Amino acid sequence: MSDTVSVDQTGAATSIPELQVETKDGVRTLRFNRADKKNAITRAMYAAAAHALDSAREDPAVKVFIITGSDGVFSAGNDLMDFMQAPPHVGGGDMPPVEQFMRALAGAEKPVIAAVDGLAIGIGVTLLLHCDLVYASNRSTFKTPFVDLALAPEFGSSQLMPAMLGHAVASELLLLGATWGSDRAYQTGLVGGVFTPETLDEMVWQAAQNLAAKAPGSLKAAKALMKQPPEDLYARISREGEIFAAQLRSPEFAEAAGAFMERRKPDFSKFD
Ligand code: COA
């Protein structure tokens, strides 16, 4: 399977059958669509997903991303045949598609929502750590069997997961290789909300529409601050203060304040 990604005449991302990309109402949805292989992710799918994220960086038509699966499966992780045939060497020179995708995800300036319905394994869990909102259906399961496969945690998960969930809790996934249901995932904070399979998409779409209507510069700034590594608290207060002051002088704030005064909803649609 080719690792290259086709683009349309405007350079926007186009789907491949196994990774469907759709942009609608400010939301670009990336859908794993390889249900016969439990949505195991191939190099071609990573490449397409990386392009779908990167090509939206300067595209005002895309304000939010959704990453989701299909047929009651999120993803069974990296395609194990691919692993054996073309083992990726992340950080080792030529960037493999999986690294292109995970760097595009980790570096996405616009918010990313994950919608997990069904099983999430390996990188299907790792990628959740890089999303901004994670919602799941109540039939979902989560597992990172890296040690069971004699592999190792990947893409920052050995740092992010203990920081987000606590060391002892993260060890259940990363060392024990435990399988969590949605309740445990919610209780630990791996996911932010659990819904029925029938309502998940609607809840996620509402969240995406909610984010898409916000001031994009403010949203990007807030996300960037949250993604910054820990620093001296007073350094952080100063950094936030700089951004806060800049936002106070921005047309976005003028619109927000004007809308408040005029008792109307703000309209940020003209801002990139
Ligand atoms: N890579 C490649 N193919 C995969 C895959 C993966 N990660 N996960 C599932 N598949 C394929 C199976 O080989 C099978 O293909 P086939 O029908 O051509 O034989 C198909 O998907 C269905 O999988 P199957 O194992 O029959 O379904 P199941 O419901 O019994 O089990 C899983 C589903 C996901 C629990 C099981 O397939 C599994 O453990 N997969 C490996 C998960 C994994 O270790 N991921 C990598 C982490 S680094």
Side-chain angles (χ1 to χ4, degrees):
M1 198 178 285
S2 164
D3 293 353
T4 57
V5 179
S6 59
V7 295
D8 67 18
Q9 286 175 339
T10 64
T14 54
S15 300
I16 60 171
E18 302 86 0
L19 190 283
Q20 295 186 342
V21 181
E22 186 189 14
T23 305
K24 189 180 151 206
D25 298 339
V27 181
R28 174 163 291 177
T29 301
L30 285 63
R31 182 181 301 281
F32 301 123
N33 187 44
R34 196 181 176 226
D36 60 324
K37 298 289 184 189
K38 304 290 177 190
N39 288 338
I41 311 174
T42 60
R43 284 168 289 162
M45 291 163 72
Y46 286 126
H51 184 71
L53 293 173
D54 278 338
S55 64
R57 193 169 275 269
E58 307 294 337
D59 185 349
V62 181
K63 300 188 183 302
V64 182
F65 298 101
I66 294 174
I67 300 180
T68 192
S70 52
D71 284 355
V73 180
F74 186 66
S75 173
N78 204 102
D79 187 283
L80 290 172
M81 289 301 286
D82 263 10
F83 257 165
M84 287 186 287
Q85 285 166 0
H89 184 175
V90 172
D94 278 351
M95 203 186 286
V98 60
E99 185 176 1
Q100 291 169 22
F101 167 60
M102 290 303 290
R103 281 180 177 270
L105 178 60
E109 294 181 337
K110 300 175 184 181
V112 185
I113 309 176
V116 180
D117 178 26
L119 61 85
I121 303 180
I123 201 163
V125 173
T126 301
L127 72 85
L128 304 179
L129 305 172
H130 296 274
C131 295
D132 300 293
L133 293 168
V134 180
Y135 293 125
S137 73
N138 54 14
R139 63 180 175 181
S140 299
T141 56
F142 304 82
K143 186 179 173 75
T144 52
F146 298 117
V147 170
D148 290 338
L149 286 165
L151 297 172
E154 53 178 3
F155 296 108
S157 59
S158 61
Q159 180 174 311
L160 290 173
M161 207 185 280
M164 292 161 80
L165 312 183
H167 185 89
V169 173
S171 299
E172 285 183 21
L173 282 181
L174 289 181
L175 303 185
L176 267 183
T179 302
W180 284 358
S182 313
D183 287 351
R184 184 81 173 130
Y186 179 62
Q187 178 198 25
T188 56
L190 181 65
V191 310
V194 178
F195 304 98
T196 63
E198 295 75 31
T199 53
L200 176 68
D201 284 352
E202 178 55 26
M203 299 309 291
V204 167
W205 186 254
Q206 278 178 22
Q209 287 299 295
N210 192 345
L211 288 172
K214 293 188 189 297
S218 169
L219 196 53
K220 274 186 208 165
K223 170 167 175 166
L225 279 166
M226 291 172 72
K227 290 274 183 183
Q228 286 286 322
E231 60 188 327
D232 174 80
L233 185 59
Y234 296 99
R236 175 57 64 102
I237 288 171
S238 297
R239 188 199 293 272
E240 289 169 343
E242 290 296 320
I243 295 169
F244 201 104
Q247 281 300 126
L248 275 176
R249 294 189 297 272
S250 73
E252 287 185 352
F253 177 70
E255 170 60 17
F260 176 77
M261 300 298 179
E262 293 159 22
R263 296 182 184 276
R264 61 173 171 82
K265 276 193 163 187
D267 176 8
F268 298 113
S269 59
K270 55 184 173 291
F271 303 114
D272 291 349

